[in-house]
Amino acid sequence: MDRKASMISRFILIAFLGLSSATLCAQTPWEVPADRNIKLSQTEFADQNRNTGKDLYMTNCKSCHGEPGKNNAIRLVPQPPDPATVQLQQNSDGALQFKISEGRGPMPSFKNILSSADIWNIIAFVRSYNKDYKQQIAVRPTFGGEVFDKVSIQLSQEQGKTSVVAMVTGERGGLKKPLAGLEVKLFVRCYFGNLIVDKPIDTDANGKVNFNVPNNLPGDPTGKVALFAQLSNEELFGLVKTEAVMTIGIPTSKPPLNEPRALWNVVQKTPLWLLFTYIICVLAVWGLIFVVLFKLKTIFELGKAVRVDD
Amino acid sequence: MASEVNTSFLKDRRLDRIATDILRPVGVDRGFYIWMASLGTLLLVCLYAYFIQLDKGLIVTGLRDYVSWGMYISNFVFFVATSLVGMLISSVLGMMGYKWIKPIGRIAEIIAVAFSAVAGLVIVSDMGRPERLPYVFMYGRIQSPILWDVTVVTTYMTLSILLYILTMIPDMAISRGRIGHAPTWLQKTYEFLSFNFKHTPEQYKILLKAVRILLILIVPTAFAIHTVTSWLFAVTTRPGWDSTIFGPYFLSGAFVAGSAAVIILMFFVRNNYKLNRYITLEHFDKMGKLLFLVSIVYFYFNLNEYLVPAYKMKTFEARHLTELFVGEFAFMFWSVQLLGLIIPMILLLFKPMRKPMPMLLIAIVVLIASWFKRLLIVVPTMESPFLPKQHVPDAWMVYHPTIVETAITIGTITLAVMIISVLMKLFPVIPIWEVAEEESAHPDQQPVE
């Protein structure tokens, strides 16, 4: 059989098997809670948003959804929709925001990877493929009628080393006030993405949250861990985020993989057994080659002294 | 090779006859000029193809992201493989005391020199930026089999050239005054290459010692050259390459290709140089048996290499093996296995098939098949990567060698044939002194022409 045809037929078979097993998953519609469905962006989508959104889309979304309008999404079941299609564009802004944030099945959740503002930037970019789209802008909600110049989080470490305290304060006219009832999340920075610590907790009457840090959290060689805390609700005050480095982890000293002598390392870090084997073999063989060349020279010298008629 | 030479053969009048016979074809004649001019023209055309590749880059070849090792690397493996026969005949059989290899030892050496010298160039043909070749030595990693390969190919080539030159020294001395028909420059070359050899017992003693060192040294080096070449594949986890027997599998295959090449040249020497007194029917019979021996060893390794994974049919191996057995490569695979291995093996069992003419035909088919066998080792594995091939142009999916690529490959083969032609035409192709010594020691034996 022709190779391409056989590939296609194999593909159809796989797709068919995949479909039948994934039918259940594909049949249930993706329910968006009513309050999330009507959610809107607080800012008007501008070119700047769309450009940032494009960069973010290309990094985080393209590998499955493909380039918008080019119909080159990865073939999966269920099929990740091309953002330029009606299937995707018929979602409300709030529904898109919900689906990107929460994820379902093979679609990952991005709420701990991208900020709320960045998710809106991606929506801004995606909407640029919809000519009929008219953006509605949300009215910025207020925090019990109060307005602040600045809202901030302070991170501090409890004595026993097992918990981290986050305190949320609002500042207006030089006066600081603890803010109660705001959900705060604490994260640890890892090599790949961020790791949430404990769970999201609301601030108490003193504007404080107490996060329990697991006692087996690996830190750097001195036990330091890079943390950051942020308010879950970005609509009230925008992105409120604080970073801190604290000595709350277990001192972990794992040398980087490029530190020891190893097969995968640079030539200066060749394993010694290999270095010596190579050098000894090369020297031995080439040494003997020079012995042979020396013998050749001896033959030549001996011949000078002799006069024989052949 | 004996540890001492009985120099009495120099006084034997048989030496004159042997030297005259063997030196008769030496020199340049019209036929040689025409032959070399044709090869030279072909080489120029192929060099033009290489110029195109140098100018435009490897995009002019069929090599793409998936198949980045195509015809060039297969060709490299073929060249390295064929060159190993020098070790098999001169060192292994020679040191075991087989006298019959004496007249054909130099033919094997010529193949070793030509093929190992061109093997290095074949690698360069696979480089998009050949001017970066020194980087291998400047920045190469000792951990990488690529560096080991460069080291052993260079070493094996040096050893082969030395062995060729050293075993020819007495012949160069014998030829003094016997090659009046050759051009002066060739006579001067002979004078130079004789290294003042005057056939004194002391010179023979030193020479034999030096040759013995080379013969011993060349065995591990030859094993290393082809084992390392096989490791270039076997140290990966890819289906078809991820094998522990790749070293011996390559070595045994190398002896098949090399023996076939020796048989082809033996036929040429016997018929065109009229040296059938020296390369006799017995030699063809023995070489036929040798080819059978190395083929059956290679068959055994093939059986292991394909049957064991085919019994298990692990996911990725299965895809690769299906392509070979019944898929895209099935025709090539079964042709190579049947025509290049199984049928020759059966034929060689019968004595009439070990006569020169049938042997020549068998050897040609075996040699061609062994070239394609290397392509079958390299390309199908590269065409079955672990991750699915998607979102790439169709041309990347399947490897189609281009004309430029094919021309460059033909160019390397042409170059090897040119080196062989020069060595065979300008220098004695049969060791005069060894044959004379042998005949002098056993004057009663009459060769079966």
Side-chain angles (χ1 to χ4, degrees), chain B residues 194-213:
Chain B
S194 72
F195 290 95
N196 268 343
F197 199 79
K198 301 282 162 56
H199 303 287
T200 67
E202 203 176 352
Q203 279 183 321
Y204 266 114
K205 204 176 154 193
I206 298 169
L207 181 70
L208 287 188
K209 205 163 198 174
V211 169
R212 184 165 277 271
I213 292 174

Side-chain angles (χ1 to χ4, degrees), chain B residues 423-443:
Chain B
L423 296 183
M424 285 191 31
K425 187 69 183 136
L426 300 186
F427 298 98
V429 74
I430 293 172
I432 303 169
W433 66 286
E434 287 187 81
V435 171
E437 190 202 355
E438 192 60 30
E439 284 203 16
S440 168
H442 307 280

Side-chain angles (χ1 to χ4, degrees), chain A residues 64-85:
Chain A
C64 292
H65 289 274
E67 289 157 277
K70 294 200 174 163
N71 193 27
N72 57 0
I74 190 172
R75 307 281 175 240
L76 288 177
V77 178
Q79 174 65 52
D82 185 307
T85 55

Side-chain angles (χ1 to χ4, degrees), chain A:
Chain A
M1 198 193 299
D2 169 14
R3 186 187 168 88
K4 207 174 257 177
S6 84
M7 258 186 66
I8 291 169
S9 63
R10 219 173 301 161
F11 207 82
I12 291 170
L13 183 71
I14 292 167
F16 184 76
L17 289 175
L19 265 177
S20 52
S21 64
T23 334
L24 274 177
C25 167
Q27 274 171 350
T28 47
W30 198 344
E31 295 290 352
V32 181
D35 60 324
R36 298 292 298 268
N37 196 28
I38 55 167
K39 220 166 160 185
L40 296 167
S41 166
Q42 291 175 358
T43 49
E44 191 183 342
F45 296 157
D47 282 345
Q48 196 191 339
N49 301 92
R50 280 185 279 272
N51 288 339
T52 317
K54 182 179 180 181
D55 291 343
L56 291 164
Y57 180 90
M58 293 305 170
T59 327
N60 295 290
C61 321
K62 196 190 105 178
S63 58
C64 292
H65 289 274
E67 289 157 277
K70 294 200 174 163
N71 193 27
N72 57 0
I74 190 172
R75 307 281 175 240
L76 288 177
V77 178
Q79 174 65 52
D82 185 307
T85 55
V86 180
Q87 188 199 352
L88 190 130
Q89 292 289 348
Q90 70 188 357
N91 283 285
S92 69
D93 288 357
L96 288 178
Q97 205 267 350
F98 173 79
K99 289 177 179 179
I100 297 171
S101 301
E102 304 302 324
R104 184 180 75 153
M107 166 81 186
S109 158
F110 282 92
K111 66 182 168 193
N112 293 335
I113 297 168
L114 298 171
S115 71
S116 178
D118 280 339
I119 293 177
W120 283 117
N121 284 334
I122 290 174
I123 296 170
F125 169 67
V126 165
R127 288 301 191 201
S128 66
Y129 289 89
N130 184 352
K131 287 195 188 88
D132 306 327
Y133 175 74
K134 292 271 182 305
Q135 195 195 355
Q136 288 179 289
I137 298 166
V139 183
R140 184 180 278 261
T142 56
F143 184 63
E146 288 186 272
V147 184
F148 298 99
D149 298 338
K150 190 186 167 197
V151 173
S152 58
I153 308 176
Q154 287 85 41
L155 281 174
S156 58
Q157 195 175 348
E158 281 284 272
Q159 207 58 20
K161 277 191 168 188
T162 51
S163 61
V164 168
V165 176
M167 185 171 172
V168 183
T169 48
E171 198 177 337
R172 182 170 169 82
L175 286 174
K176 282 189 178 176
K177 180 191 170 185
L179 303 179
L182 286 169
E183 193 185 72
V184 185
K185 290 185 207 167
L186 182 71
F187 295 93
V188 171
R189 284 206 184 284
C190 303
Y191 275 124
F192 305 102
N194 305 316
L195 178 74
I196 191 156
V197 181
D198 208 338
K199 55 182 186 296
I201 309 173
D202 287 357
T203 50
D204 60 12
N206 300 322
K208 282 189 177 175
V209 178
N210 213 336
F211 290 104
N212 287 315
V213 179
N215 56 11
N216 58 354
L217 188 70
D220 72 358
T222 57
K224 286 200 174 75
V225 175
L227 298 156
F228 69 93
Q230 68 181 58
L231 291 185
S232 301
N233 189 340
E234 291 181 31
E235 289 169 20
L236 283 170
F237 311 109
L239 179 63
V240 179
K241 183 175 170 185
T242 304
E243 302 199 16
V245 175
M246 291 179 179
T247 315
I248 48 166
I250 301 167
T252 313
S253 184
K254 279 189 183 151
L257 288 176
N258 62 0
E259 195 66 43
R261 290 186 174 274
L263 280 176
W264 57 80
N265 222 326
V266 292
V267 68
Q268 288 81 6
K269 289 182 178 172
T270 308
L272 288 174
W273 64 266
L274 182 63
L275 187 70
F276 288 128
T277 311
Y278 179 84
I279 291 174
I280 289 169
C281 287
V282 170
L283 284 183
V285 174
W286 281 89
L288 285 169
I289 288 177
F290 280 104
V291 169
V292 168
L293 289 175
F294 184 74
K295 287 191 182 300
L296 199 57
K297 186 172 165 274
T298 318
I299 290 173
F300 181 76
E301 312 257 286
L302 282 172
K304 271 190 201 166
V306 188
R307 274 215 49 81
V308 187
D309 286 329
D310 293 314

